[in-house]
Amino acid sequence: MVLVMPKHILIFDSGVGGLSVYKEIQQQLPSEKYIYAFDNAAFPYGELTESVLIERTTHIIAQLCSLFPIDIVVIACNTASTIVLPTLREKLSIPVVGVVPAIKPAALVSKKIGLLATPATVKRSYTYDLIKSFAPISDVQLLGSTRLVEMAEEKMIGKNVDLKELEEILLPWKETVDTIVLGCTHFPFLKSEIKKVLNNNVLLIDSGEAIARRVTQLLGTIERGGQSEQKGEVYCSAPTKNEEALNKTFRELEFSPLQYLDYPKF
Ligand code: DGL
């Protein structure tokens, strides 16, 4: 039998949100080598200027590409993807996959859509172009919230989600939308709570599975062996007081303990 070495997949986000995308990719490609990197020094990305976003993302990705033989980069962050993809694709000779809010599939099933994203994503012309192209006859309401991103981060280190607070954030959408596009990779981790506060009356759509399909298509579906037992590696850009709780989450997802990138403090 010919053993095919695992491919190295680099997944990047500002925080733990990209793990929702990792889970989908890992399900389709369980034998690959995963490197997960997050820029916690500059979290949240939804509050950054475009130039800072480009600078940080390209610097961190370049650093990891020099440490590992990366085969594909997944920018598992809608906020960064709306801005950094052209620069990254120009600099790298490997495929770079980004995450786009799932407006297109949502418009196929609904005319009353809510786009839940970061404050930056809901302002970007990229998002408006997406709506114009794929949902021209739908009513698309936009809601940008950094607090929701923080709530997802908190959940991933074992804290309870405050349902009252979540309900207040989503109040404008009670009865007004029937489909919500989760346009931030942190939000799939809040799916059950979002459904609960909206009385299960909504369809939630995210881009994770589509991204995983795209990555599989680009890498091919050859059965790989060799180092399939290898754990994934996680890097972040600043020390965190939540290291122990984060490591528990990473362990459950088959990653080794957190390591630190060499990057100046934000
Ligand atoms: N997970 C990110 C996204 O998909 C960004 C969250 C943030 O750092 O504001 O947009």
Side-chain angles (χ1 to χ4, degrees):
M1 191 177 105
V2 183
L3 281 186
V4 183
M5 295 308 279
K7 296 281 186 185
H8 286 67
I9 303 177
L10 170 59
I11 303 177
F12 176 79
D13 186 27
S14 60
V16 293
L19 291 174
S20 66
V21 178
Y22 158 75
K23 282 169 92 173
E24 299 281 355
I25 302 174
Q26 209 265 351
Q27 207 175 323
Q28 291 191 26
L29 298 168
S31 304
E32 311 304 351
K33 167 84 180 176
Y34 289 91
I35 319 293
Y36 185 79
F38 62 104
D39 188 10
N40 57 328
F43 173 89
Y45 267 16
E47 309 278 339
L48 295 190
T49 62
E50 299 186 5
S51 57
V52 173
L53 250 183
I54 293 174
E55 193 206 310
R56 294 196 67 91
T57 308
T58 47
H59 182 97
I60 291 171
I61 302 288
Q63 198 181 333
L64 285 156
C65 285
S66 68
L67 287 175
F68 296 96
I70 303 294
D71 293 289
I72 190 165
V73 176
V74 180
I75 302 299
C77 172
N78 292 262
T79 311
S81 294
T82 56
I83 292 298
V84 306
L85 295 180
T87 311
L88 278 175
R89 286 179 178 145
E90 206 180 280
K91 285 188 186 295
L92 300 172
S93 53
I94 50 175
V96 179
V97 177
V99 188
V100 174
I103 294 290
K104 191 177 175 182
L108 296 176
V109 294
S110 168
K111 296 284 165 287
K112 292 191 293 180
I113 301 168
L115 170 60
L116 195 56
T118 64
T121 298
V122 298
K123 273 192 247 140
R124 298 259 156 82
S125 51
Y126 185 98
T127 303
Y128 287 94
D129 291 345
L130 206 62
I131 294 170
K132 216 161 64 193
S133 310
F134 296 113
I137 55 164
S138 297
D139 173 25
V140 183
Q141 298 183 31
L142 307 175
L143 205 161
S145 168
T146 291
R147 183 59 199 131
L148 270 188
V149 181
E150 292 165 351
M151 285 164 93
E153 288 277 325
E154 289 164 10
K155 183 176 176 183
M156 295 304 278
I157 52 165
K159 292 195 188 156
N160 283 333
V161 175
D162 182 340
L163 292 180
K164 253 262 70 51
E165 189 182 6
L166 182 64
E167 191 172 9
E168 262 160 43
I169 295 171
L170 296 176
L171 204 60
W173 285 354
K174 270 230 146 119
E175 320 296 337
T176 59
V177 304
D178 56 32
T179 301
I180 295 180
V181 174
L182 302 175
C184 167
T185 53
H186 279 74
F187 299 163
F189 291 119
L190 297 175
K191 260 184 185 172
S192 58
E193 290 85 357
I194 294 173
K195 281 217 165 237
K196 205 177 277 174
V197 302
L198 292 175
N199 304 324
N200 263 322
N201 280 337
V202 284
L203 174 70
L204 303 179
I205 302 183
D206 64 76
S207 317
E209 202 196 322
I211 299 305
R213 256 186 278 123
R214 180 71 187 134
V215 172
T216 306
Q217 194 183 54
L218 287 165
L219 290 182
T221 47
I222 305 164
E223 194 66 42
R224 290 181 230 283
Q227 302 168 41
S228 59
E229 296 297 300
Q230 246 188 81
K231 284 203 179 295
E233 297 192 36
V234 191
Y235 287 84
C236 67
S237 55
T240 163
K241 59 179 180 357
N242 301 320
E243 187 166 337
E244 210 182 305
L246 280 171
N247 276 335
K248 185 169 176 282
T249 299
F250 290 130
R251 199 168 39 244
E252 283 164 9
L253 294 171
E254 294 173 38
F255 284 102
S256 305
L258 198 51
Q259 302 174 72
Y260 294 94
L261 282 166
D262 172 26
Y263 197 87
K265 205 175 150 23
F266 184 64

